[in-house]
Amino acid sequence: MLISSLNAAAFADTLILLVAPDTANPQATEQAGDVVRIYDTVTAQPLGFNIFHVSQYLPELTGNGQVFLTETQVERLNQLLTQVGFTAELAADLSPKFVIGYVKSAEAHPDSDHLQVTQVEVDHEQTLQIVCGAPNVAQGQKVVVAKIGAMMPNGQIIWPGALRGVTSDGMISAARELALPNAPKQHGILVMPADIPAGTPFDFDQAAAVVAAQNADKASI
């Protein structure tokens, strides 16, 4: 897994790389040149890297928030790690992190009166179990799934987890969680048009148009 992000306002010219979720073990850092390695002190496994002066190594890289590195860019970063004395530990992750999902089933959570345990088909015919608390989630819907490794617009990262003892591998997203313009304030997921195939990479512009259409329909009632 490789989650990459830029935040020029907070960390000028620094690429932040995450390769694993935080652990309960103590963490430590070590720096060599323009690279800081963050690791678990018990397992010695890397959790992430900070690349300072990243424009010197990837001058073409732009953006704010989550960025997606090509295989060539990851190889150049691995060369940098090797040059400063670290192991080349980065692997490119080119799979889309926001996709259209099809809710195959939605059942009551065994230990909650408001959560539902859903089975959601995403890309590559994969089915994810996702615990969802939205009141409007239902079987048969097309929804927006933030998969493991997605970074939400507010900076939240989606990791494997569990809600009240039930595994949840992703998040079914609301329009406001996706920071879409004029997103409804009420609690509820964004339901996408039924004709969009499951697994389609999520299009933020298309979703904004869906929200606008839904708002227009409500206003006309």
Side-chain angles (χ1 to χ4, degrees):
M1 180 178 297
L2 180 62
I3 303 171
S4 315
S5 67
L6 294 169
N7 185 338
F11 307 104
D13 205 18
T14 299
L15 179 65
I16 300 171
L17 304 172
L18 301 178
V19 297
D22 284 338
T23 67
N25 298 329
Q27 299 178 17
T29 63
E30 52 184 341
Q31 182 170 355
D34 283 335
V35 181
V36 174
R37 180 179 184 268
I38 303 99
Y39 63 96
D40 183 311
T41 59
V42 175
T43 66
Q45 294 300 308
L47 302 174
F49 297 87
N50 293 335
I51 311 295
F52 299 136
H53 307 114
V54 67
S55 60
Q56 296 181 16
Y57 309 104
L58 300 177
E60 74 283 4
L61 191 64
T62 60
N64 188 57
Q66 188 169 18
V67 295
F68 297 93
L69 303 178
T70 66
E71 291 181 337
T72 299
Q73 290 171 327
V74 171
E75 177 57 30
R76 283 154 61 187
L77 292 178
N78 274 327
Q79 291 174 359
L80 172 62
L81 294 184
T82 302
Q83 289 170 4
V84 300
F86 292 136
T87 302
E89 300 177 283
L90 304 178
D93 184 353
L94 305 179
S95 63
K97 300 306 176 191
F98 293 91
V99 301
I100 300 301
Y102 172 68
V103 182
K104 297 167 66 176
S105 66
E107 300 179 353
H109 190 291
D111 189 33
S112 171
D113 60 1
H114 72 282
L115 296 175
Q116 294 194 67
V117 181
T118 67
Q119 303 296 325
V120 185
E121 180 184 343
V122 289
D123 48 332
H124 304 295
E125 298 183 350
Q126 180 185 19
T127 297
L128 302 178
Q129 178 169 283
I130 301 176
V131 179
C132 181
N136 64 326
V137 67
Q139 180 180 358
Q141 291 173 333
K142 293 291 181 60
V143 296
V144 182
V145 175
K147 297 169 57 182
I148 301 301
M151 178 180 288
M152 304 301 293
N154 67 358
Q156 175 191 2
I157 295 173
I158 306 301
W159 296 112
L163 289 174
R164 295 199 178 183
V166 175
T167 299
S168 185
D169 289 323
M171 184 172 75
I172 301 176
S173 305
R176 56 188 173 79
E177 292 169 328
L178 297 166
L180 296 176
N182 302 309
K185 294 182 179 180
Q186 62 266 33
H187 188 48
I189 59 168
L190 174 63
V191 179
M192 297 293 287
D195 60 351
I196 304 178
T200 302
F202 175 60
D203 185 323
F204 279 80
D205 292 334
Q206 181 186 41
V210 170
V211 170
Q214 292 175 352
N215 289 339
D217 288 344
K218 291 178 182 177
S220 65
I221 297 176

